[in-house]
Amino acid sequence: MTDDTTRPPISLSTAARVMMGFTWRADRRLSTTILVLKLVGASIGALFALWIGLLTEAIVHRRPTEAAVLVAGVVISVVVNSMLTFGADRLTQTLSERAHHLVERRLLELVGGTPTLEIQETPEHLTQLERLQDASWEFGEVVPTLINIAQTGIQLVVTLVLLATLDPWLVLLPLFGIPIIVFGPKASQVWYTAQQFAAEPMRRMGVFLDLSTLVGPAKEIRLFRLRDVVRRRFAEAAEESRSIQTRFARKGEMIRVSTRIFFVLGYLGAIVIVTRQVVDGQAPLGHLLTAAVLGGQVLNLIAGSSMLAVWATEVLIAASRFVYLDQLGRRIRAAAAYSADVPARLATGIRIDNLTFGYFGRDRPTLLGLDVLLPAGKTVAIVGDNGAGKSTLIKLLSGMYVPTEGHILIDGTDLARLDPDVWRARVSAGFQDHARFEFIAAETVGIGDLARLDEPEAVADAVHRAAANDVLDALPAGLQTQLGPTWDHGVDLSGGQWQKLAIARAMMRRTPLLLLLDEPTAAIDAESEHRLFESWTEAARDLREQSGAITLLVSHRFSTVRMADLIMVLDGGRITEVGSHDELMRAGGQYAEMFAIQARAYQP
């Protein structure tokens, strides 16, 4: 039962080959050692039935010396096999951890190293990434599972060879295990079906558990006296989930019992064949015991193989998602061709040339035919309703997206020809949806320019230019304060305080070519925003002299926007007006109307 979210994006054989390659690269010596231990252990385990048969013959024919030797051999075989199994399992776990670490490191590199946000923001790719993260535990079991498959195969071959030495017809015994192989996965599928039917009550259980344990709803749970209601509804959902899973579990057990009954018939037939040989004097009594033990081994191997096949499919699907993302990341990087240098300073500015951009799966483009010059050394404000495409344009200018059509020209050079890492080193930004880095406060700001992370003066200057000194004054240890309530002695901040530190982070780079401020003061009051913009204006003058930098501001507050050199109005993904505040007010168009509406809101 597969759908778009469960179907492997890459063939399982390819995934297995790639994962074994990672295992080999993680530790070749350890991989070889485990393989040898598994081979020897599998052979010793499969030969156990033979030793039992020979021991029986020695006892029946009163050969005490031979019996003593065989008993010692059996004991040694059991001990050695146990030691080999234990050692191989421990080494396999170590190898699995190393291989998993190597794969996770590779995953971080490929997702974080792609020049754009294509993986994170394309639903098709994001689905694979999220499913891989959800299956992180299964992903870690790929290596042990593949090794167990190899071990099971070796044991089955040795067991069949021993059965053939007793009677060629006995090699047909595994055929009676076909129902186990065929219907065993169906029994497992019953469990998955139960999980699907029980998904809703289980989800409700999770919701009620979160309501009872998380800090967010804790105040209202107590204030409105909802504790007993939440407990009762949790219990009801738990009972519904248990009932569903019990019903399906009975069905699964019926399938398992039926398939094993069929195998038992074949097993009894094998015992009858060998018993007749022993009774007729055609075979020693030891053969009967050997056949009985080998038959049990076949049942265990077939049943184990069935379950192992189901589990291997699960873990290899997880591995296939990694391989898919790995190949995607390689293709994205290979398709990029960087043939130009980022200028030391802007002379003309950034030309947006007939730019169109559409998100995957949407009917119409978010931005359509934008054509405008952002002059070097100027402060440019972008205004427009929600969904007009303002934040999308910011991401395009920072190189996070690639235009569907058109170009972004940096002093005449297409942004697509510039190495995105080098370009982004000359871009700084404060985003509305900024990250809350729960580091030491100095690091939270300082990571805006890693080269100056350990320079307290640089961090303090960035805080000053972001008008965020009041945040530091409120921290018990100033820049050395641990941020975040989840850490020992960590201090939580208000939304506005976090945002001011994000702005300070954007101010760490002293000579960017482009400073992007995307609703950077959404959580800050209007008066504070005005003071901040005055500070930015001063910083912009410095940047203009040093690098011809462009400051691009997205804001809904027109009292701040009016101070920009150039204002651009976006509506429905198109540029409808461009000009200074005075020019746009005289034009009496959309900007003038929006400004008047907001101005009236502040009048008594």
Side-chain angles (χ1 to χ4, degrees):
M1 190 171 71
T2 60
D3 53 32
D4 290 339
T5 61
T6 58
R7 186 181 299 112
I10 297 292
S11 71
L12 299 188
S13 59
T14 299
R17 186 175 67 253
V18 171
M19 290 306 302
M20 292 309 293
F22 269 106
T23 302
W24 183 250
R25 288 196 295 275
D27 194 320
R28 297 184 179 185
R29 181 178 299 178
L30 190 57
S31 299
T32 303
T33 301
I34 292 171
L35 184 60
V36 171
L37 292 178
K38 289 287 187 178
L39 287 172
V40 175
S43 300
I44 291 176
L47 291 172
F48 179 77
L50 179 61
W51 307 138
I52 293 296
L54 294 175
L55 176 59
T56 301
E57 283 300 302
I59 294 174
V60 169
H61 294 288
R62 301 179 182 278
R63 296 194 290 266
T65 303
E66 182 180 342
V69 171
L70 287 170
V71 167
V74 169
V75 171
I76 292 173
S77 296
V78 171
V79 172
V80 171
N81 187 42
S82 298
M83 293 176 62
L84 289 175
T85 300
F86 178 82
D89 288 345
R90 298 286 78 74
L91 293 177
T92 299
Q93 187 61 38
T94 300
L95 180 62
S96 178
E97 290 173 357
R98 292 181 184 177
H100 196 192
H101 173 72
L102 183 63
V103 170
E104 285 186 328
R105 189 174 66 189
R106 175 66 184 152
L107 183 63
L108 289 174
E109 291 172 353
L110 75 89
V111 176
T114 51
T116 67
L117 301 178
E118 180 176 346
I119 291 179
Q120 289 94 332
E121 295 200 354
T122 301
E124 178 185 0
H125 308 329
L126 184 60
T127 295
Q128 302 302 333
L129 179 60
E130 289 176 343
R131 289 286 177 173
L132 177 57
Q133 292 170 333
D134 292 341
S136 59
W137 187 78
E138 290 95 330
F139 189 45
E141 293 297 308
V142 172
V143 173
T145 300
L146 293 176
I147 292 176
N148 287 338
I149 289 175
Q151 182 182 28
T152 300
I154 294 168
Q155 288 177 310
L156 187 58
V157 169
V158 174
T159 300
L160 289 177
V161 170
L162 291 176
L163 283 171
T165 61
L166 300 180
D167 191 296
W169 286 103
L170 297 185
V171 297
L172 299 179
L173 180 59
L175 296 180
F176 288 85
I178 290 178
I180 296 176
I181 297 174
V182 172
F183 296 104
K186 294 185 181 300
S188 299
Q189 188 61 55
V190 169
W191 183 83
Y192 289 109
T193 303
Q195 295 300 105
Q196 288 185 332
F197 277 93
E200 183 177 342
M202 290 177 68
R203 187 161 54 248
R204 279 189 270 122
M205 289 170 60
V207 169
F208 296 132
L209 184 62
D210 288 345
L211 288 174
S212 297
T213 58
L214 298 183
V215 67
K219 296 185 294 296
E220 294 183 58
I221 291 293
R222 285 161 175 76
L223 179 64
F224 298 118
R225 303 173 65 188
L226 299 175
R227 182 184 64 179
D228 292 339
V229 174
V230 171
R231 281 182 180 176
R232 185 178 70 254
R233 294 192 178 183
F234 176 86
E236 290 171 352
E239 176 59 26
E240 183 180 351
S241 173
R242 187 199 64 78
S243 176
I244 291 172
Q245 296 192 55
T246 299
R247 185 170 71 252
F248 279 94
R250 292 195 187 106
K251 182 179 179 181
E253 287 305 315
M254 288 180 62
I255 295 174
R256 290 189 179 92
V257 170
S258 300
T259 57
R260 278 158 176 73
I261 288 175
F262 187 79
F263 180 85
V264 167
L265 295 176
Y267 178 74
L268 291 175
I271 296 300
V272 168
I273 291 174
V274 178
T275 300
R276 290 187 59 182
Q277 292 177 348
V278 171
V279 171
D280 294 341
Q282 299 174 1
L285 179 63
H287 278 200
L288 182 59
L289 241 67
T290 300
V293 175
L294 289 175
Q297 288 181 349
V298 170
L299 174 60
N300 291 333
L301 288 171
I302 290 176
S305 298
S306 175
M307 299 302 297
L308 192 58
V310 174
W311 179 240
T313 300
E314 292 295 316
V315 298
L316 287 176
I317 286 176
S320 73
R321 300 189 193 286
F322 165 78
V323 176
Y324 170 85
L325 293 169
D326 185 51
Q327 294 178 352
L328 174 64
R330 293 176 188 273
R331 287 198 303 271
I332 292 173
R333 289 190 295 275
Y338 313 127
S339 57
D341 295 327
V342 175
R345 61 176 288 118
L346 289 178
T348 305
I350 299 176
R351 181 78 194 185
I352 299 174
D353 180 26
N354 196 31
L355 184 145
T356 295
F357 178 81
Y359 288 98
F360 178 85
R362 296 191 184 178
D363 295 335
R364 64 183 302 276
T366 301
L367 298 174
L368 185 60
L370 303 193
D371 201 330
V372 68
L373 173 66
L374 308 180
K378 299 297 183 181
T379 297
V380 181
I382 307 177
V383 298
D385 293 333
N386 292 331
K390 303 184 296 297
S391 294
T392 299
L393 180 57
I394 292 292
K395 291 176 182 176
L396 283 160
L397 288 168
S398 59
M400 302 294 179
Y401 295 159
V402 176
T404 305
E405 296 179 13
H407 306 277
I408 296 174
L409 305 176
I410 313 298
D411 270 356
T413 301
D414 196 330
L415 180 58
R417 296 175 56 202
L418 304 180
D419 187 323
D421 288 335
V422 179
W423 168 244
R424 283 196 280 263
R426 301 301 306 279
V427 176
S428 196
F431 296 108
Q432 177 182 6
D433 55 345
H434 58 83
R436 296 189 176 189
F437 294 104
E438 294 188 352
F439 303 153
I440 301 297
E443 294 178 343
T444 300
V445 174
I447 58 175
D449 187 355
L450 292 176
R452 301 194 299 156
L453 176 62
D454 297 323
E455 299 180 16
E457 299 82 5
V459 175
D461 180 60
V463 171
H464 174 72
R465 291 193 295 134
N469 288 310
D470 59 317
V471 178
L472 294 188
D473 293 341
L475 297 178
L479 285 173
Q480 297 307 310
T481 302
Q482 170 67 54
L483 302 181
T486 58
W487 303 98
D488 288 341
H489 309 295
V491 176
D492 197 10
L493 302 178
S494 67
Q497 289 175 317
W498 278 113
Q499 196 158 43
K500 284 187 177 183
L501 293 185
I503 297 168
R505 192 159 56 242
M507 294 297 171
M508 277 296 296
R509 292 181 178 173
R510 295 307 304 266
T511 58
L513 298 179
L514 181 62
L515 174 60
L516 301 169
L517 301 170
D518 181 14
E519 295 283 4
T521 56
I524 299 174
D525 61 85
E527 183 179 351
S528 296
E529 181 187 52
H530 190 77
R531 291 199 305 270
L532 281 170
F533 193 79
E534 289 178 338
S535 177
W536 298 336
T537 302
E538 181 181 347
R541 282 196 295 267
D542 296 337
L543 292 175
R544 181 185 308 145
E545 296 173 1
Q546 296 174 34
S547 61
I550 299 168
T551 298
L552 193 62
L553 171 69
V554 175
S555 179
H556 283 94
R557 288 174 178 159
F558 286 79
S559 58
T560 299
V561 167
R562 66 181 299 174
M563 301 171 66
D565 300 310
L566 187 71
I567 300 170
M568 182 167 59
V569 180
L570 274 179
D571 185 21
R574 298 177 183 271
I575 297 175
T576 57
E577 293 181 294
V578 178
S580 67
H581 170 76
D582 293 338
E583 290 170 345
L584 295 179
M585 290 300 293
R586 285 195 299 270
Q590 185 178 3
Y591 174 82
E593 181 181 352
M594 290 189 294
F595 185 87
I597 291 173
Q598 193 168 110
R600 285 197 297 271
Y602 286 97
Q603 294 175 355

